[in-house]
Amino acid sequence: MTARAADRARYDRATAHLDAPLAIVDLEAFDANADDLVRRAGGKPVRVASKSVRCRHLLERVLAKDGFAGIMSFTLAESLWLARSGFEDILLAYPSADRARFAELAADPKLAAAVTVMIDDPSHLDLIDTARAGGNEVVRVCLELDTSLKLLGGRVRVGARRSPLYSPAQLADLARTVAGRPGFKLVGIMAYEGHIAGVGDRVAGRPLRSRAVRLMQATARRELAERRAAVVRAVRAVTPDLEFVNGGGTGSVQTTAAEDAVTEIAAGSGLYVPRLFDNYTSFTGRPAALFAMPVVRRPGVGVVTVLGGGYPASGAAGPDRLPVPYLPQGLSYDPQEGPGEVQTPLLGSAADDLLIGDKVWFRHAKAGELCERFAELQLVEGDRVTATVPTYRGEGHTFL
């Protein structure tokens, strides 16, 4: 029996008493992936990206491990909820325009001490000040550096369109603005190199593209390491007591951690290892989060139909954003239908061994977005479900 077949047998046994649709997290794989992130971070703490987990129980589990410290959140409402739930070090990774929540933050000493907000423009400070509603707590802020690679005098850009702050001088100017503004404290710098951390460099069946990605990433790493170090020097000249410099992502943990200027690494997808993280030469994770859909029809030889399953991930639309049928091995989508809103036909010889009510196991393309489809996760250890825990959605929260 292959390892994948053995996993399928375990998951089927563990969930035999449960009807699909359902989602699981294999805790042995989850913990092994966490250990690998710590190993690759080389002694620097790993801040957990909550958007890639979206389950308080699993955030608590990973933060209890040596080598992890703090959360990187994705909305201000989520940040305040997590702080009220007992999490103490929360970095909001994106600027917010949530005036009501800024009023709460500025009025509560506990929240203000636990949450750091992201800015990349003086207008963010203005918005926070107009939202204070009398609250006078000091708001902790972090500056975001644009990590994109610019070539040919800026005519070619590789990387996400995030912060407008690119040069050391630009970040130092904003640091001076924060330092001169009552009610704010600059505590950190964040730089997320998504074109390195989030783009696989080993694309199956596409050797030329893979080589081009590796070349781009090598060039981008060199340029960014140099510029990030210069940015940190420039900002520390304004704010010597800077608390952290955050960088990286699951796909670049070890290379970002090697930079002296970086004090902590961000990662989250590497805990669940969705399908987008199969294509890396630098590490191999274990799929830990899967969802199962039930077989509800057998339309003919070599075909079964499962209920639902059309759970595309965010990003530029394409086949790589779709979940993939994973267990049993050998199933594929009907190219005329793909994964459907209510039903999904699956083709392949493995279909002939499936009966009505059997489970087909899928892997989602991106990590935490799976949890927006399910109210709870079944936690599997060996061939048993040992706990059922709510996702954010299961606790009544859909932050985005």
Side-chain angles (χ1 to χ4, degrees):
M1 183 182 290
T2 66
R4 278 175 63 170
D7 282 342
R8 180 196 175 200
R10 283 198 302 116
Y11 300 151
D12 282 347
R13 286 196 300 271
T15 62
H17 62 297
L18 299 171
D19 290 329
L22 60 84
I24 68 166
V25 170
D26 183 331
L27 290 181
E28 182 181 330
F30 181 90
D31 290 342
N33 292 333
D35 292 343
D36 189 60
L37 289 172
V38 170
R39 177 190 63 79
R40 290 198 288 135
K44 292 186 177 177
V46 178
R47 185 181 291 272
V48 184
S50 63
K51 75 177 182 66
S52 300
V53 179
R54 303 195 200 201
C55 171
R56 280 199 302 167
H57 177 90
L58 291 174
L59 288 173
E60 291 168 353
R61 183 183 183 93
V62 73
L63 285 170
K65 294 178 175 293
D66 290 341
F68 288 88
I71 288 176
M72 177 176 282
S73 59
F74 60 98
T75 74
L76 184 55
E78 178 212 14
S79 304
L80 302 190
W81 177 65
L82 290 173
R84 289 181 172 123
S85 300
F87 296 96
E88 297 180 346
D89 179 8
I90 302 159
L91 170 62
L92 174 57
Y94 307 87
S96 176
D98 189 338
R99 292 176 174 84
R101 268 45 178 253
F102 275 129
E104 294 177 36
L105 178 69
D108 189 317
K110 178 185 174 183
L111 297 180
V115 177
T116 299
V117 303
M118 192 65 60
I119 69 167
D120 58 35
D121 189 303
S123 296
H124 292 136
L125 303 177
D126 297 337
L127 187 147
I128 295 169
D129 269 339
T130 60
R132 283 180 180 271
N136 59 8
E137 294 298 324
V138 172
V139 175
R140 293 164 54 87
V141 300
C142 176
L143 308 182
E144 180 169 3
L145 167 67
D146 173 17
T147 65
S148 63
L149 174 65
K150 295 183 179 181
L151 304 170
L152 301 178
R155 293 191 296 276
V156 175
R157 173 197 176 98
V158 181
R161 295 183 182 276
R162 293 176 62 111
S163 170
L165 304 176
Y166 190 83
S167 70
Q170 288 175 309
L171 278 96
D173 283 347
L174 188 50
R176 281 188 284 271
T177 298
V178 176
R181 189 88 171 242
F184 296 94
K185 181 182 180 182
L186 176 59
V187 298
I189 299 171
M190 187 191 83
Y192 171 59
E193 53 268 38
H195 52 302
I196 303 171
V199 178
D201 62 352
R202 184 182 57 195
V203 184
R206 304 187 68 179
L208 294 180
R209 175 176 170 79
S210 298
R211 195 173 302 124
V213 169
R214 287 194 289 273
L215 178 62
M216 175 276 290
Q217 291 180 337
T219 302
R221 278 194 295 268
R222 289 192 297 270
E223 186 278 333
L224 179 58
E226 213 171 283
R227 183 158 51 92
R228 182 155 40 198
V231 163
V232 172
R233 287 193 298 270
V235 173
R236 285 196 186 278
V238 178
T239 308
D241 58 345
L242 206 63
E243 294 177 16
F244 64 85
V245 177
N246 180 281
T250 289
S252 70
V253 170
Q254 64 278 10
T255 54
T256 305
E259 295 181 34
D260 292 337
V262 174
T263 66
E264 64 175 38
I265 306 300
S269 295
L271 296 168
Y272 287 169
V273 186
R275 62 165 296 203
L276 282 179
F277 286 85
D278 287 347
N279 303 319
Y280 287 80
T281 56
S282 60
F283 74 99
T284 301
R286 292 175 55 182
L290 300 95
F291 67 94
M293 310 306 289
V295 173
V296 292
R297 286 177 169 161
R298 291 170 51 88
V301 175
V303 187
V304 292
T305 302
V306 298
L307 184 71
Y311 302 159
S314 61
D320 65 334
R321 300 291 144 167
L322 300 179
V324 290
Y326 182 61
L327 302 171
Q329 202 165 355
L331 295 173
S332 62
Y333 294 124
D334 180 335
Q336 301 302 313
E337 296 193 47
E341 177 187 9
V342 177
Q343 70 162 38
T344 298
L346 297 171
L347 313 180
S349 59
D352 294 330
D353 295 324
L354 292 168
L355 304 176
I356 300 294
D358 284 352
K359 295 180 177 78
V360 175
W361 296 90
F362 293 76
R363 294 175 63 200
H364 200 260
K366 294 183 74 173
E369 292 182 20
L370 171 64
C371 293
E372 297 300 334
R373 300 286 184 169
F374 293 90
E376 58 190 27
L377 298 171
Q378 310 297 329
L379 304 186
V380 173
E381 297 184 70
D383 60 359
R384 295 187 304 120
V385 170
T386 56
T388 301
V389 297
T391 61
Y392 280 11
R393 176 177 172 176
E395 296 200 67
H397 297 287
T398 51
F399 294 109
L400 279 179

